[in-house]
Amino acid sequence: MVPLAPMPSMAMLIIMKAKWYQSEIENILVRVISYARLENEQRNSTNNILESRIMVLGKLYLTEL
């Protein structure tokens, strides 16, 4: 019995699926990293606002004494 000849179209499908999968993984990583950065920036911004308000309140309190 003669083995079946390789099917070039099947090989192309495998390559296309692998490239698609790699592209999707890269997109997911970009979204995760961007979200983490945005969350970190928002946290830092909130902390800076709170710190400045605490400093202002502290100064007001000290001037009233």
Side-chain angles (χ1 to χ4, degrees), residues 1-26:
M1 185 166 197
V2 178
L4 296 174
M7 296 174 52
S9 61
M10 184 61 87
M12 287 302 294
L13 281 174
I14 292 170
I15 290 171
M16 287 171 45
K17 286 181 181 180
K19 287 182 178 181
W20 174 84
Y21 183 76
Q22 181 181 0
S23 173
E24 285 299 305
I25 293 297
E26 288 172 353

Side-chain angles (χ1 to χ4, degrees), residues 26-49:
E26 288 172 353
N27 289 339
I28 290 169
L29 285 174
V30 166
R31 275 184 259 145
V32 168
I33 291 169
S34 297
Y35 179 77
R37 284 183 182 165
L38 179 62
E39 191 176 67
N40 189 29
E41 288 174 6
Q42 287 176 341
R43 189 179 313 116
N44 288 341
S45 173
T46 302
N47 287 343
N48 289 341
I49 291 170

